[in-house]
Amino acid sequence: MDYTISVTELSKFLYNSGDLTNEFFVNKRSLEGQLAHLHLQEQYNSDSEREIRVSRMVSFGNDNLTITGIMDGLLRIDNELIIEEIKSTKLHLDEITLDYHTEYSAQLKIYGYIYMTNNDLRTVKLRLTYITVPDNKTKSIYLDDTYTDLEEFFFDSIEKYISWLVNLKEASDNKIQSIKDMVFPFPEKRAGQRDLMAATYHTMSHSEILYAIAPTGIGK
């Protein structure tokens, strides 16, 4: 079986942090975040790139997991190569450290490993840059991980995610098996139950959505 997950989704799934404040939801997908990203990327020199697609496939058992993503920036400055991950924020920059939202640094580490491995590199700088909205002030934090550190982090992350996939598949298989052995628990069906069952079966068979309005006790 083939699985696919983005670097962002993987990082959030494994390393999500922070609290449920408005700040947590200010991100690249918001209009303010998009404009802040664009403002910073437009300052890149002509040798630098932005929005670089990367991917890496890992096999486990008879299955494959593909990790995909889009790096915000690949900067070439004074013969140095820098992978940049940009995050917009409304927080005061003095309050931000490397440990602020650990999923962000995890995302950058995974990007770093994939890009370095795919391009046969062993030395690239990793830079996490926060930009405030709406005034576009910035703070950059450099990660000091070596290629070996990134490789270890990548495969440790993949191992954790694959373990979850395996457990999820086992639960799904057990659910399907248990459903096969299920029987209707009452001697007779109430009015409307047969119609609800038929509608549910049709909906599941065609991967559709069923909206059911029915009285209490019918088995919704």
Side-chain angles (χ1 to χ4, degrees), residues 49-153:
E49 304 173 55
R50 61 188 185 187
E51 307 296 321
I52 304 96
R53 293 185 178 275
V54 296
S55 66
R56 189 78 182 172
M57 188 181 73
V58 177
S59 298
F60 61 102
N62 296 321
D63 302 319
N64 297 312
L65 172 63
T66 301
I67 304 93
T68 66
I70 302 177
M71 303 189 318
D72 287 327
L74 183 64
L75 288 73
R76 295 177 176 86
I77 304 174
D78 297 331
N79 295 321
E80 285 188 329
L81 194 60
I82 303 171
I83 294 175
E84 181 169 62
E85 179 62 24
I86 304 170
K87 298 298 179 185
S88 59
T89 182
K90 288 186 176 179
L91 198 67
H92 195 284
L93 292 176
D94 289 342
E95 301 180 50
I96 293 178
T97 66
L98 182 59
D99 294 329
Y100 172 71
H101 284 306
T102 51
E103 68 272 23
Y104 295 164
S105 57
Q107 190 177 346
L108 181 55
K109 289 179 182 181
I110 294 172
Y111 279 138
Y113 173 76
I114 293 176
Y115 184 83
M116 292 167 72
T117 302
N118 289 352
N119 292 275
D120 197 24
L121 299 171
R122 293 300 177 267
T123 304
V124 170
K125 285 191 172 183
L126 304 179
R127 186 167 82 185
L128 181 57
T129 296
Y130 287 92
I131 179 167
T132 59
V133 291
D135 53 1
N136 293 331
K137 295 180 180 179
T138 61
K139 178 177 182 177
S140 292
I141 303 172
Y142 285 87
L143 278 60
D144 57 5
D145 300 82
T146 64
Y147 177 81
T148 301
D149 294 332
L150 298 177
E151 183 177 44
E152 182 178 344
F153 181 82

